[in-house]
Amino acid sequence: MRAHTPEAGRLSSLARSTARGAIWTGIASLSTSLLRLAILAILARLLAPADFGLLTAATFFIDLSNIIHELGFSAAVIQKQATDDQLLSTAFWSSLGMGVGLWLVLTAASPLVAWFYRNPTVQPVLMVLATTFVIMPLGLLQKVLLQKELDFRRLALAEVGAVLAMGALSIGLAWQGLGVWSLVWGSIAQRVAEVVLLWLLHPWRPSRAWSGAAFGELFGFGANVVGERIANYLNNNLDYLLVGRLLGEAALGYYSFAFQLVMLPLTRVSILISRVTFPAFSLVQDEEERLQRGYLTTVRYIALLTFPLIVGLFWTAPELLRLIGGGPKWDPALLPLRIMCPAGMIKAVVSTVGSILKARGRPDIGFRWNAATLVVTAGALLIGARFGIVGVAWAVTLLSLLLAPIIQAIANRLIGLSWPRYGRALRPALLGSAAICASVGLLRLLNTWALGWSPLPLLVVSILCGGGAYLVAMQFSGALSEARILTRHLFHVRRSAFDVAAERRTASPEQETAPPGL
């Protein structure tokens, strides 16, 4: 029988919070993914590729500035075990001040950005989008506190509501023929709606307090986080900048459309799960065995969720692009999309490395890594751009294959994790992905030779065939049974999805069983 100790209570509480976080993260991920995909499909029919390219060109500088505007305070507040109102208010006012400053800087720099892209329309688009830096800081601390408290139910409500606001306005304006401005004003609506919802969902309000000492305390951790995020952002988005500059807005529209579809599982699953695991990992940052088990479970289930989606996208992309675009309008995005699918799978699991580095208090490693690889990334993308967006797609995938194992090895070493254990965590997802490739590949070969189905029936049957093959593979590997057991533990709050051994230190050895494959 387990001992009821304060330590056991703390671990059980962590299990409860993380389990609920995993559940609500899944709900938010599924809801927003479906909404975004539906919105994207509608807008793809109403707008031209150049409209998406123009927005992406301006958004590159918006997203880069967004990393700077909060000075890394989000990660610093989450990582700290204890916070007070003075520290939180300092973070709020500092972020707001930085936001106003960035708004002014981007507004002043907008003519230079338009000159860089050789398109004068970029200037007003960037100027309007820059106003988000005055809006976003107003809800930043409420969002951070919900994340720190692992209250992902309320975060999910805010995210879904914001996406609905964005979609409603963007589609309405696109229907009226406003082109790129439907995307711009939709983005503004999303930010405003998110701030309003966050203020309704969390009671914290800033005071007038601001402390230089608190600022220094936050900045000490946050500076490395910001540095790492900027370098990481440039590594992951430099392709947008170069395609927009060298190949034009239409090419950037096709490329960004393909990239967004490939990375949808990454942005909707991996990053959201990492948002749950970073606060949880920070609570056990000094307990190596528990950290290893939690990390392996995270990687395992990210792979199980994202790999089949990306492999399925690879096979069904021709039909999806025709259905989304209402015809051949988006066909130039097909080959880059397929080429980048392996990169999407790699990035999905490697995206968890940042949570480990930050939980260990070592964001400086991520900063140095991304800064060191930025030159390699820029060189590869410049070479790839000589061959159009297909060449850029090949550069992205080859860079992922080359660099991902190195940074993963660094993270594994930081927590004492061996490659064989890491590989076993990925094995069920790889087996299931192979099953999808075999079944759907054979189906499409038969369709070419004999069946001759139209795109919609082929898409539906491919999804059913691939999904069935994946479930059979999961049953064969034992992952399906494990998922059912884990789900029961989640809802009964006896173990957490983050760490199925959450109460290991209070149990006798004969009572403990490790999850299969770990």
Side-chain angles (χ1 to χ4, degrees), residues 15 31 83 181 299 303 313 345 349-350 365 414 429 454 462 477 487 508:
S31 301
T83 55
W181 289 104
V299 167
L313 176 63
M345 297 170 70
V349 291
V350 176
I365 294 177
L414 195 62
S454 60
S462 295
S477 68
T487 302
S508 59

Side-chain angles (χ1 to χ4, degrees), residues 381-437:
L381 292 173
L382 284 170
I383 294 172
R386 298 176 62 184
F387 304 93
I389 59 175
V390 172
V392 175
W394 274 116
V396 168
T397 296
L398 292 175
L399 282 168
S400 297
L401 291 169
L402 173 67
L403 300 177
I406 302 174
I407 187 60
Q408 186 65 60
I410 294 171
N412 289 358
R413 184 176 181 181
L414 195 62
I415 60 174
L417 179 63
S418 68
W419 275 109
R421 289 187 72 193
Y422 183 82
R424 287 195 295 273
L426 295 177
R427 185 170 56 194
L430 292 172
L431 178 64
S433 299
I436 294 174
C437 288

Side-chain angles (χ1 to χ4, degrees), residues 14-29 78 143-144 146-153 155-156 159 268-284 291 294 298 302 351-352 355-356 358-359 490 496-499:
L14 174 60
R16 259 198 310 276
S17 297
T18 312
R20 290 170 181 167
I23 293 167
W24 281 104
T25 293
I27 293 172
S29 174
I78 292 171
K143 189 172 186 178
V144 170
L146 287 172
Q147 186 177 348
K148 185 179 178 67
E149 296 160 6
L150 302 179
D151 191 347
F152 293 96
R153 180 183 67 85
L155 272 176
E159 289 179 5
R268 294 292 94 199
V269 177
S270 299
I271 292 176
L272 285 171
I273 289 179
S274 295
R275 185 202 297 173
V276 176
T277 57
F278 171 40
F281 288 166
S282 294
L283 293 174
V284 294
L291 190 55
T298 299
I302 283 178
S351 66
T352 57
S355 292
I356 290 295
K358 289 184 288 185
L490 280 175
S496 74
F498 149 73
D499 184 356

